[in-house]
Structures are given as C-alpha cells and as structure tokens.
Amino acid sequence: MSKIRISLMAALAALAFTVSAAELADGEIRKVDKDNKKLTIKHGPLKSLDMPGMTMVFGVSDEAVLEKFQAGDKVRFDAEKMDGKIVVTHIEPVR
C-alpha cells in the first residue's frame, strides 16, 4: 500500500511541476542591480498576476539569483506580490 501512495505522490508532484512550468513567463534580463537587489526584465504576459508583457523592475525573493544572471540572458520566470511589491519567486534560464 505504501508503494502505491509514494507513486501517487510522485505523480502529483510531477503534475504540479508541469502545470507551474506552463505558467512561467518568457523574458529577457535587461539589468541586474545587485546594490538594490532588483532585476529589470522585458517579459511576456505574467498569467499569475494578470499582467500584459512589458519591461519592468522586479525585486527578488532569493538574492542568489543576482549572481546567476546577467543582462541579455533569456529566462522563464514567475512573480508574486509580496508586501506591496512585485517579486520574482522563480526564475530559470532558457536552454
């Protein structure tokens, strides 16, 4: 019985990842501002925020991403409103 439960949990986790990956917006990093902990991203529609494509400045939930990306990098990402600010909560390079 526990093997079935583990398999079911793994399948649900994979499905959740697939659904969330489909919600990621395409973007291009325009500026990395390490001093202010912000990214400027030209992006397509952000479904999670019901926002059309544009170029805007985002805070980051994890400062480590500021070291991983540079201007010109193509990315897929998601953002959320946190404490009145729009913050990148997930970002990955486009391969």
Side-chain angles (χ1 to χ4, degrees), residues 22-35:
E23 298 294 317
L24 297 178
D26 293 319
E28 179 181 332
I29 304 289
R30 292 299 176 104
K31 181 179 178 183
V32 177
D33 182 351
K34 293 178 184 177
D35 293 334

Side-chain angles (χ1 to χ4, degrees), residues 44-62:
L46 273 166
K47 293 179 184 179
S48 63
L49 295 171
D50 194 28
M51 181 184 293
M54 65 181 78
T55 300
M56 63 181 289
V57 178
F58 295 88
V60 293
S61 62
D62 179 6

Side-chain angles (χ1 to χ4, degrees), residues 73-93:
D73 286 350
K74 305 282 189 207
V75 296
R76 291 180 45 85
F77 73 103
D78 195 18
E80 296 177 17
K81 279 192 176 181
M82 295 181 160
D83 298 325
K85 298 177 184 176
I86 300 177
V87 176
V88 172
T89 56
H90 175 85
I91 188 166
E92 59 191 47

Side-chain angles (χ1 to χ4, degrees), residues 59-74:
V60 293
S61 62
D62 179 6
E63 293 177 31
V65 302
L66 300 169
E67 300 297 328
K68 296 177 183 177
F69 295 98
Q70 60 186 355
D73 286 350
K74 305 282 189 207

